[in-house]
Amino acid sequence: MIKSFRSKKVRYRYILAADIIMGAHKLPIKKFTKYKNGYASTAMAFDIETTSYHSDKYDKDLATMYIWQLGLDGMCIIGRTWYEFKKVIDLIADYFDARGTKVYCWIQNFSFEFQFIKSILPWNETKGGYADIFAKDNRTILYAKYRCIEFRDSLALTAMGLAKYQKNFNLKVGKLAGDLDYSVSRHYLTPIGKNGITNAELAYCINDVMVLNEWHNSYIVPHFLDQEKNIPLTSTGLVRSDMKDEFNAMTKEEKKKMRSWLSNSQPSEQIYKIWRNYLFRGGLTHANTVRCNHLLEEPFDSYDLKSAHPSAELQRKFPGKFCRRNEKAFEKCLKQAMDGTYAFWGIFVFHNIRAEGWHCLESKSKLIEYSEDAYFENGRLAYADYIKVALTDIDWFNYMDMYEWSGYECRMLYQAKYNYLPDYVRKTVIKYFIQKETLPKDSPEYMLAKRKLNSCFGMAATGLPEREIVLNKDTNTLELSPQSKTYEELTKWLIMLPQWAIYTAAYTRRAICKSIKACGVDSIYYDTDSNKIANPDRYEGWFDSYNKHVEDINKTMEVYDYDREKLMRIGCFEKEYTGTRYKVLGAKRYMVEHDGEVQVTVAGMVKGSYEAYCKKEGWDMWEHFTDKLELPASDSWKKTTVYYDQPFDDELTDFRGETVSIHEGSCVAIIDIPFSMSVEQEFMSRIELLRQQRERMIAKGGFLG
């Protein structure tokens, strides 16, 4: 029978799995469409709730499932045991098998549920004899197939938490927040109702799968199934699919020519590994050390580059095939790079290199070698007697702005002709950008276009998976397959080159470095595509001049059939806000106040936890934002996962005092952990040293600051 209850004036309905198993109720499957790919339009979603605890028997942190919910065509099925889960899943598989169809079952963060169910279902097998699953790594599962049911990770596809689905996909149902107390110990006999699992908590459970049911009907069905399109595994895959459509729109002869050019431009495996380890740098994120650990209480401006990476992909030229050059030809190659005709990359040795001003550019992790006396400010090179490093021409120009050295040597040198990216790439980027600029900002289409635009870079930056992840049935663990793919197999059908990602990120760093060079000590903090500037009135002219140059480029940029006016500001610096207070303790460790609101960003700290803890303790947030910042486990909101891959039998007592025997084939426990801000004491000493140096220079009239 269908059970119902009301919570917060909303009526919820559900069916007990036991009633379906005993035949007291049929599976709530509505009439569906069967598509050419064999899948049904049926909406299906799965979720579990668990209790984590420390086991005295095993002396480990373990977990057990106490309730599961399965959304099926808008109706929720509630179960309490894995036996019920297996029976219901088999009944659903029987239903669709009998009709010759397959069905998707969506799970938000499938990796969590998979850790519990991987030993429960006998997964389909591939031709190689492995379980038919696909994983990015041994703890990140994207799909697993059981009979005609394909379990899929909705988080990987959308790249967003469930709480954002309602707004971003314009759904009627949204995730409930704060209604389920995870600190309460429960097991499969903890009752629903009567002081057990409350109606509010049950509503929370039901909504989690109802959100995915509606998302499937409103997004997956019309955008993929109705259009006979394959559903990508990840958000980056969405862009890859669109770009392949543009690629395939070329004539047969054009595609053949492009395939040949791409294959010829792909680096060798040895060079690719050097690039991945040392040449790809990502975004420039750092703080001006002299401005650290100091409360700035004067106006400052935060500038953002408008669509930084996409603008580089549209405006700039990129290298294709790199050819080895004699190291003695470096000066000539450098001149050609300055002219914008040829790119280069190489391995260089610098002697007596040091930061020229108040900013440090190079990451310690990207240096191939460095001398023992090398000093790093929060992970960025300040000075060294000797370094060996791989640089592109764009990186070299940044070094010229940010460092000085007594000498250098070129140890390896490659050169490539500069050209604009192929039309199929640029057309895709422009399409997403125009959609982002013209669609209503509260529409799901706008959010989708924004995610796709950001993924254009991520698609090129994704590393090559040399070996597949497979499930070892004997150990019940995911591990690397013994069969590795060759580099040729991995790169044969790629339509993006790794050097495009390297140069896209480099162009964005170049823009930020130019702004740092212009603003000097007043450049407080920069993060990939933004720069916070003190004494902003001094630099308005520079930003206006920079933007004028970018707009001139945009006037001549190929825009195909799109409105050029919509693209005139792409790649320009735009003032995001004027701040009133600021305090920074290094990269990803800052507090900022603007428009009457305070934002706290600390790497590894859960957003909102510091503010809540200060309020609880009656502390001033600005005063306690120091390198000694610590939050206890009970207040940090920070959690970690502890995996256990072996079956176990244990006993668990719930919050009512009832003890039962439990069994899990494997599990993952979620436990609270404390948070401490990690700032090296050597860096704190450096902050004080540079501050004293700056104060002496100001006193002598050495510079404005």
Side-chain angles (χ1 to χ4, degrees):
M1 60 178 292
I2 297 178
K3 296 181 177 293
S4 66
F5 65 93
R6 296 184 70 85
S7 178
K8 297 182 180 179
K9 298 182 180 180
V10 177
R11 181 165 294 280
Y12 293 88
R13 302 191 306 159
Y14 66 95
I15 305 169
L16 291 177
D19 288 343
I20 293 176
I21 294 169
M22 292 185 297
H25 201 288
K26 293 181 180 180
L27 287 169
I29 300 176
K30 300 175 183 177
K31 185 178 180 181
F32 61 84
T33 300
K34 180 181 177 181
Y35 297 95
K36 290 181 181 179
N37 62 3
Y39 285 89
S41 58
T42 302
M44 185 175 172
F46 178 66
D47 185 38
I48 68 174
E49 302 299 341
T50 64
T51 287
S52 299
Y53 70 101
H54 184 80
S55 169
D56 293 332
K57 178 180 177 180
Y58 292 87
D59 193 24
K60 294 180 181 296
D61 291 307
L62 300 175
T64 186
M65 180 275 298
Y66 66 84
I67 189 171
W68 58 261
Q69 44 274 355
L70 190 145
L72 192 58
D73 267 344
M75 177 58 72
C76 186
I77 301 171
I78 296 291
R80 307 301 304 276
T81 67
W82 290 124
Y83 168 80
E84 291 178 334
F85 168 74
K86 176 67 165 56
K87 293 291 289 185
V88 169
I89 288 297
D90 276 330
L91 287 172
I92 294 172
D94 289 343
Y95 181 92
F96 286 103
D97 275 341
R99 290 156 178 79
T101 56
K102 297 177 287 186
V103 64
Y104 291 107
C105 181
W106 296 100
I107 303 177
Q108 183 75 1
N109 190 16
F110 182 29
S111 302
F112 182 80
E113 275 74 9
F114 184 80
Q115 181 63 15
F116 286 86
I117 67 174
K118 64 181 180 180
S119 59
I120 294 173
L121 297 177
W123 304 103
N124 299 350
E125 289 191 357
T126 64
K127 292 181 180 179
Y130 293 108
D132 195 355
I133 65 172
F134 185 84
K136 291 175 63 177
D137 55 55
N138 65 338
R139 298 300 183 194
T140 309
I141 319 300
L142 299 182
Y143 80 66
K145 296 180 181 180
Y146 172 65
R147 296 179 61 182
C148 61
I149 301 173
E150 183 172 332
F151 294 91
R152 279 287 201 102
D153 189 347
S154 53
L155 174 61
L157 180 58
T158 62
M160 70 177 70
L162 201 62
K164 295 182 179 180
Y165 277 50
Q166 185 173 25
K167 177 182 178 181
N168 292 346
F169 292 102
N170 196 26
L171 307 182
K172 295 178 181 178
V173 181
K175 179 178 174 62
L176 299 179
D179 289 321
L180 188 60
D181 189 348
Y182 287 98
S183 67
V184 174
S185 178
R186 298 180 171 94
H187 50 60
Y188 69 96
L189 288 183
T190 303
I192 296 175
K194 295 182 179 179
N195 301 321
I197 301 171
T198 68
N199 284 346
E201 291 172 327
L202 189 58
Y204 178 98
C205 297
I206 292 173
N207 261 40
D208 276 5
V209 290
M210 290 300 100
V211 168
L212 290 176
N213 266 203
E214 189 185 352
W215 169 76
H216 174 90
N217 289 329
S218 63
Y219 177 65
I220 295 298
V221 171
H223 288 84
F224 296 100
L225 296 179
D226 283 348
Q227 297 185 36
E228 303 290 350
K229 285 186 175 182
N230 292 328
I231 305 173
L233 293 175
T234 65
S235 57
T236 303
L238 294 171
V239 177
R240 187 175 290 109
S241 176
D242 287 350
M243 203 167 287
K244 281 184 177 179
D245 288 344
E246 288 287 352
F247 183 89
N248 291 328
M250 293 189 292
T251 66
K252 184 177 180 180
E253 188 61 31
E254 287 173 333
K255 283 191 288 186
K256 182 179 179 181
K257 186 177 179 180
M258 181 58 67
R259 283 285 183 198
S260 176
W261 183 81
L262 288 168
S263 177
N264 195 42
S265 300
Q266 188 73 38
S268 68
E269 183 174 7
Q270 181 182 13
I271 295 299
Y272 173 76
K273 289 181 178 179
I274 293 175
W275 287 3
R276 290 299 303 181
N277 291 331
Y278 299 113
L279 209 57
F280 182 79
R281 283 170 169 76
L284 174 58
T285 302
H286 200 231
N288 181 348
T289 303
V290 75
R291 296 282 192 172
C292 288
N293 201 28
H294 169 71
L295 179 58
L296 178 69
E297 294 186 280
E298 58 190 61
F300 65 92
D301 285 347
S302 180
Y303 282 91
D304 274 13
L305 276 170
K306 185 177 180 65
S307 296
H309 287 350
S311 70
E313 292 165 324
L314 296 176
Q315 298 165 345
R316 309 299 178 183
K317 291 184 177 181
F318 290 76
K321 177 178 175 57
F322 277 99
C323 297
R324 185 74 182 262
R325 295 293 306 272
N326 189 300
E327 291 79 9
K328 294 180 180 180
F330 173 67
E331 292 294 336
K332 181 179 179 181
C333 290
L334 179 58
K335 184 178 184 301
Q336 290 175 325
M338 289 178 172
D339 293 340
T341 54
Y342 284 86
F344 71 76
W345 80 270
I347 294 178
F348 301 90
V349 168
F350 290 90
H351 300 283
N352 299 315
I353 185 170
R354 65 183 57 246
E356 188 176 33
W358 300 94
H359 305 273
C360 303
L361 170 67
E362 189 60 272
S363 173
K364 181 179 182 180
S365 64
K366 292 302 175 182
L367 296 180
I368 301 172
E369 296 175 8
Y370 52 86
S371 56
E372 290 185 2
D373 72 331
Y375 184 84
F376 299 89
E377 291 183 5
N378 203 23
R380 299 281 177 176
L381 176 68
Y383 61 83
D385 181 61
Y386 160 94
I387 65 167
K388 181 190 284 188
V389 62
L391 300 175
T392 67
D393 49 305
I394 309 302
D395 298 316
W396 182 275
F397 300 149
N398 287 338
Y399 263 51
M400 291 175 66
D401 279 348
M402 305 287 279
Y403 288 112
E404 57 186 10
W405 51 83
S406 63
Y408 73 88
E409 303 157 25
C410 179
R411 296 286 179 86
M412 181 185 290
L413 183 63
Y414 284 79
Q415 191 180 39
K417 187 172 178 58
Y418 265 129
N419 281 297
Y420 290 110
L421 293 179
D423 286 343
Y424 66 85
V425 177
R426 301 172 79 234
K427 282 182 179 179
T428 304
V429 174
I430 285 185
K431 177 178 68 174
Y432 296 156
F433 180 80
I434 293 295
Q435 289 174 347
K436 184 180 80 73
E437 291 297 295
T438 57
L439 289 168
K441 290 194 174 182
D442 58 349
S443 69
E445 291 79 13
Y446 166 84
M447 298 305 301
L448 180 60
K450 185 177 180 180
R451 292 196 304 275
K452 284 184 174 182
L453 183 64
N454 294 334
S455 293
C456 289
F457 167 73
M459 187 178 122
T462 302
L464 298 174
E466 297 180 11
R467 287 192 285 172
E468 292 180 344
I469 305 294
V470 296
L471 179 64
N472 185 321
K473 295 180 181 178
D474 295 330
T475 62
N476 200 30
T477 58
L478 290 165
E479 58 188 36
L480 288 173
S481 165
Q483 299 175 342
S484 60
K485 294 181 179 180
T486 66
Y487 182 72
E488 289 71 23
E489 289 174 326
L490 291 169
T491 58
K492 184 176 182 180
W493 301 109
L494 293 180
I495 60 173
M496 297 286 278
L497 294 173
Q499 53 264 51
W500 296 347
I502 290 169
Y503 271 75
T504 298
Y507 280 129
T508 297
R509 289 195 305 275
R510 184 75 190 117
I512 296 301
C513 281
K514 286 181 178 180
S515 69
I516 294 171
K517 179 77 172 179
C519 301
V521 73
D522 285 329
S523 180
I524 308 170
Y525 182 84
Y526 28 94
D527 189 346
T528 304
D529 59 356
S530 66
N531 198 351
K532 292 176 172 57
I533 310 297
N535 300 309
D537 292 347
R538 299 175 183 172
Y539 309 105
E540 284 185 359
W542 183 88
F543 283 104
D544 289 343
S545 176
Y546 180 92
N547 288 344
K548 175 65 168 57
H549 175 69
V550 171
E551 288 178 346
D552 288 342
I553 294 175
N554 292 342
K555 289 176 183 177
T556 62
M557 181 176 67
E558 174 62 69
V559 297
Y560 306 99
D561 294 328
Y562 294 98
D563 182 359
R564 185 180 299 277
E565 287 301 313
K566 301 293 184 185
L567 290 146
M568 285 305 297
R569 295 290 295 174
I570 191 171
C572 290
F573 277 103
E574 296 187 334
K575 189 187 298 185
E576 183 184 13
Y577 60 79
T578 296
T580 51
R581 281 198 289 183
Y582 193 78
K583 190 173 185 181
V584 61
L585 286 166
K588 301 292 185 182
R589 298 168 180 84
Y590 63 84
M591 286 182 65
V592 59
E593 181 178 32
H594 65 89
D595 300 318
E597 295 185 0
V598 177
Q599 174 191 352
V600 182
T601 298
V602 178
M605 186 172 75
V606 180
K607 282 191 177 296
S609 59
Y610 176 65
E611 297 92 313
Y613 188 59
C614 287
K615 183 177 181 180
K616 172 185 172 183
E617 298 294 325
W619 290 349
D620 179 280
M621 285 197 300
W622 296 92
E623 181 181 343
H624 282 81
F625 192 77
T626 70
D627 60 309
K628 308 297 183 185
L629 193 158
E630 293 184 352
L631 302 179
S634 57
D635 295 283
S636 72
W637 304 355
K638 187 174 177 64
K639 300 179 184 298
T640 191
T641 50
V642 180
Y643 288 84
Y644 191 63
D645 294 305
Q646 303 303 316
F648 65 89
D649 294 285
D650 205 357
E651 290 188 341
L652 179 65
T653 303
D654 70 4
F655 73 97
R656 301 171 305 120
E658 180 178 352
T659 302
V660 300
S661 297
I662 59 172
H663 171 82
E664 295 287 350
S666 54
C667 73
V668 52
I670 301 175
I671 59 174
D672 296 327
I673 57 173
F675 171 80
S676 297
M677 190 189 303
S678 57
V679 182
E680 296 177 357
Q681 287 308 303
E682 187 178 16
F683 179 53
M684 296 301 296
S685 300
R686 178 73 173 176
I687 292 171
E688 185 58 32
L689 177 66
L690 289 181
R691 179 181 297 150
Q692 293 173 5
Q693 180 182 344
R694 175 173 175 259
E695 289 173 352
R696 288 195 297 271
M697 292 177 69
I698 292 173
K700 295 178 180 179
F703 70 104
L704 295 174

